[in-house]
Amino acid sequence: IPWLDMLTSVSSYCDSLDINVSMWYPAFFKKYDTPELLSVAQEHWDLIFSHLPRLDVLFVPGGDPGGRPAAELFEVVEVQAKYMREKYFPDAEVWVSSQYGLSVSVDLGLDEPWVPLVQEQQWMQELRTERVQSFLTGVVYGPWSCVPIHEFRAQIPEVLPLRNYP
């Protein structure tokens, strides 16, 4: 079955059973910083979201592809969340993970190494901003997180719930 048909079928079936539909959807594109590049991303979002009868949760991993600087990641997630909510799913939740444990990202062509813990600390700082808290529903502790989950939770603002992603 073609992948877009599968998305539609699974979302429809879950909807018929009133089961929440969550989708793992990374920030695929290397850059989103010009109108042309943003337009390409929006076309891709339209392709995906228009095939889903239901979407309750959008999960954007900070990794896989990863390594995007925290401020840039949250800018992309904010734009994607706004677009998705305004055009398709106004009540959809948005969750994000850090996943900076690898020190390079071949997927995004980020071959300049970084210190994973420093990247994750910058990510945590972004979580503390009102701007990020205004569009983000919660945070995911995922693979390649740099600290144990209890330390991770202690660093996240209390207003943001935490999920564990295996």
Side-chain angles (χ1 to χ4, degrees):
I1 181 169
W3 66 276
L4 282 172
D5 294 342
M6 179 62 78
L7 282 177
T8 302
S9 296
V10 170
S11 179
S12 294
Y13 185 68
C14 289
D15 191 36
S16 73
L17 299 172
D18 197 28
I19 295 174
N20 281 357
V21 175
S22 297
M23 183 170 65
W24 177 93
Y25 193 106
F28 282 114
F29 301 97
K30 187 173 181 177
K31 292 286 184 183
Y32 295 78
D33 58 355
T34 67
E36 297 80 21
L37 294 171
L38 183 57
S39 178
V40 170
Q42 289 172 334
E43 286 176 24
H44 194 257
W45 298 338
D46 284 331
L47 176 68
I48 302 297
F49 296 143
S50 68
H51 280 81
L52 298 171
R54 176 177 182 160
L55 181 63
D56 299 286
V57 179
L58 178 68
F59 165 51
V60 183
D64 212 5
R68 192 180 301 280
E72 184 182 318
L73 171 69
F74 283 110
E75 287 172 12
V76 171
V77 174
E78 181 179 22
V79 169
Q80 186 177 23
K82 182 178 182 199
Y83 190 82
M84 173 193 66
R85 287 173 173 153
E86 287 179 356
K87 271 194 95 172
Y88 296 97
F89 305 104
D91 298 321
E93 297 179 1
V94 176
W95 292 70
V96 69
S97 67
S98 65
Q99 297 178 277
Y100 286 106
L102 298 175
S103 60
V104 294
S105 178
V106 176
D107 298 324
L108 292 176
L110 303 173
D111 52 6
E112 185 70 34
W114 61 80
V115 178
L117 186 56
V118 171
Q119 285 280 83
E120 190 164 275
Q121 289 169 343
Q122 292 169 349
W123 183 87
M124 294 286 186
Q125 293 242 317
E126 289 292 318
L127 291 178
R128 294 184 187 97
T129 66
E130 285 183 27
R131 180 185 65 82
V132 169
Q133 291 177 21
S134 73
F135 65 84
L136 196 62
T137 306
V139 175
V140 179
Y141 180 83
W144 301 106
S145 294
C146 297
V147 297
I149 194 168
H150 68 280
E151 291 178 31
F152 194 88
R153 172 71 261 182
Q155 296 179 52
I156 296 169
E158 288 185 19
V159 297
L160 293 171
L162 175 66
R163 298 169 72 159
N164 189 10
Y165 177 73

